[in-house]
Amino acid sequence: MGALTMSAAPQEDLSLVREALAGSQLSFQLLVERYAPRMFALVRHYTRSAVECEDIVQDTFLKAYSRLASFQQQSSFYTWLCRIAINTALDTLKRAGRSPVQAVEDPELAGAGGSEEIGRGIGSVPAPDARMEQEEVAQIAQEVLEELPEIFRTVLVLREFESQSYQAIADALGISIGTVESRLFRARARFRDKLLELHPEFGE
Amino acid sequence: MTVGRGKGTMDAILCTDARPLIPAWADGELSEAQAAPLRAHLLGCRDCRGSMQDLRALHRWFDAGAVDGSSLVPPGFAARVARRAFAGDRGERAVSAPFELERERDGRRTLDFVLWSTAAAALLVVALSVALRLRDLPSSERLRADSRTPQSTEEILNKLEELDAREAGLALPQADAAHEAATKPVVDPASGAARR
């Protein structure tokens, strides 16, 4: 994941942003070309419809263009885009009457929280059967993800599929690194529980 | 960025210190100073290695779902989005703008059709009414009262009487002349004597 070389990208991104703001359509097109694959990979975790996925990614870039002047460069362009894409995806699902599952408890307040809870571990996790096809494993993982409250799904997607650092996740979601850590712990524990609930055969 | 917990020294750490660091270590979020004592602990602690194995097992579910996003991007996507952005089109949905335009165009066509049909129908009605009026209106010659056909019995009788009277008026001078001729004595021109 993350084929883009992030160390070299930010400076080039800034140049492209400046050129786009100065009226260069081609520079904006280059930004879209650079980040469209990762945006599609991210948004596909929120919808199974290819058409809806394309609409959300397109809307993400159009919103990004309209707000380009407000890009503060406090985070990377990619992180900034992630934030727009996630909000756009959630808004789209809400408009379509398909709001993602919401956590019934406050994920940051539930349980003991902090290192004490994390120290207990997430419990025994069954690995996918070695005989299973990759596609089948991915399908089950996606099925379980869709059953998780949105707040947990998003943090798992950004970490496990997008390989984002805790800091980048914190920037994208507007939360602290400590919150990212505890939310990620709970998300993993929820994933395990839901996996065993939907597929008890893996726990045997 | 590293998670600011752990002693950060090579001193031996306990399970209670090591366990909370395991997820961050697995995610590559610890500094070397934090990671080194944890690694040392993991080498000698089977339980903590078990926690590490649970995380690895979990990752295998996600590894399978990793895809190259390039295969998901439709051809010409970037150019299309850039064009839309610079054209000021918000493009809420990929097909919304053309679809709305088409609908607007269809609506305008329907409105034009209705307006033209209404105008044509109105013209036809006006033309027909004019034609009917011209056909039914009597000419000045036909406006004479006597040309009017009597309708009621009384009118018919009056008409007949009027006709009789007119005929009588015309016949009377002829009858008088005949009667006079018949009763007038004939004078013999030779003798000069009158005879009947």
Side-chain angles (χ1 to χ4, degrees):
Chain A
M1 299 298 291
L4 198 67
T5 309
M6 294 306 290
S7 57
Q11 194 53 45
E12 202 175 339
D13 286 349
L14 289 182
S15 301
L16 290 172
V17 166
R18 280 193 211 103
E19 288 162 15
L21 282 171
S24 170
Q25 184 174 325
L26 184 60
S27 295
F28 185 69
Q29 184 177 327
L30 287 174
L31 278 171
V32 177
E33 277 173 8
R34 170 173 284 186
Y35 290 109
R38 299 182 76 188
M39 288 299 110
F40 271 88
L42 171 65
V43 169
R44 78 189 169 91
H45 293 292
Y46 293 88
T47 175
R48 291 188 178 200
S49 160
V51 173
E52 196 170 60
C53 184
E54 182 180 347
D55 286 349
I56 292 169
V57 176
Q58 176 180 258
D59 203 25
T60 296
F61 282 110
L62 292 174
K63 282 179 181 171
Y65 177 74
S66 67
R67 302 171 191 171
L68 208 52
S70 68
F71 174 52
Q72 298 294 315
Q73 304 167 22
Q74 288 167 344
S75 61
S76 72
F77 187 73
Y78 169 73
T79 301
W80 187 66
L81 270 183
C82 274
R83 191 171 193 158
I84 297 173
I86 291 166
N87 289 335
T88 304
L90 295 178
D91 285 348
T92 302
L93 295 182
K94 200 174 175 182
R95 275 203 305 271
R98 292 184 283 124
S99 291
V101 181
Q102 299 297 319
V104 289
E105 82 279 21
D106 185 329
E108 273 67 67
L109 294 178
S115 61
E116 189 182 330
E117 186 187 8
I118 296 173
R120 288 200 294 270
I122 58 172
S124 178
V125 180
D129 193 318
R131 291 165 298 182
M132 287 169 69
E133 296 288 337
Q134 286 288 92
E135 194 176 332
E136 191 183 355
V137 175
Q139 199 174 343
I140 290 171
Q142 183 62 28
E143 176 194 353
V144 175
L145 267 180
E146 286 172 3
E147 291 291 320
L148 296 185
E150 180 278 318
I151 201 164
F152 295 132
R153 189 203 311 191
T154 295
V155 79
L156 271 181
V157 165
L158 290 175
R159 176 62 221 167
E160 304 292 355
F161 294 102
E162 292 299 303
S163 304
Q164 290 295 289
S165 68
Y166 289 5
Q167 182 65 62
I169 296 171
D171 290 343
L173 302 182
I175 55 180
S176 70
I177 289 183
T179 301
V180 171
E181 195 180 8
S182 62
R183 198 178 286 187
L184 195 52
F185 169 78
R186 291 197 176 95
R188 284 167 170 158
R190 286 290 195 97
F191 183 91
R192 169 198 174 275
D193 293 345
K194 187 57 76 175
L195 174 68
L196 292 176
E197 181 189 322
L198 296 176
H199 296 277
E201 66 274 17
F202 292 122
E204 293 165 357
Chain B
M1 187 67 198
T2 58
V3 176
R5 287 187 288 99
K7 294 177 181 175
T9 69
M10 285 300 288
D11 296 340
I13 56 173
L14 300 173
C15 290
T16 50
D17 295 323
R19 288 277 182 87
L21 297 176
I22 291 174
W25 180 66
D27 289 332
E29 294 283 335
L30 293 186
S31 68
E32 179 55 25
Q34 292 169 314
L38 178 61
R39 279 199 306 269
H41 178 83
L42 286 172
L43 286 172
C45 181
R46 181 176 293 180
D47 286 348
C48 287
R49 281 205 303 275
S51 291
M52 189 67 212
Q53 292 301 325
D54 287 337
L55 279 175
R56 284 193 175 145
L58 191 74
H59 286 157
R60 288 180 58 189
W61 288 99
F62 300 124
D63 289 344
V67 296
D68 178 9
S70 303
S71 62
L72 303 172
V73 184
F77 177 80
R80 191 165 64 247
V81 171
R83 269 200 308 274
R84 277 182 177 271
F86 277 72
D89 181 356
R90 290 290 302 112
E92 282 294 324
R93 294 182 70 82
V95 295
S96 63
F99 179 65
E100 288 300 328
L101 280 175
E102 194 57 40
R103 280 181 60 186
E104 195 179 328
R105 228 175 274 140
D106 284 349
R108 203 167 292 165
R109 274 193 214 117
T110 307
L111 183 64
D112 286 348
F113 174 76
V114 169
L115 286 174
W116 280 111
S117 302
T118 308
L123 271 174
L124 190 64
V125 167
V126 169
L128 276 172
S129 62
V130 168
L132 285 172
R133 282 176 69 86
L134 286 174
R135 180 170 167 266
D136 286 344
L137 278 176
S139 64
S140 57
E141 290 176 4
R142 294 171 63 200
L143 279 172
R144 288 184 315 186
D146 61 355
S147 68
R148 188 166 155 266
T149 308
Q151 294 300 310
S152 64
T153 309
E154 191 179 354
E155 281 180 325
I156 292 168
L157 289 173
N158 288 339
K159 184 74 178 172
L160 286 173
E161 281 176 12
E162 188 182 335
L163 288 171
D164 285 347
R166 194 180 295 169
E167 283 173 6
L170 289 172
L172 188 59
Q174 289 172 355
D176 290 346
H179 183 258
E180 193 176 345
T183 55
K184 190 179 179 179
V186 178
V187 179
D188 187 353
S191 63
R195 55 181 180 88
R196 289 196 183 265

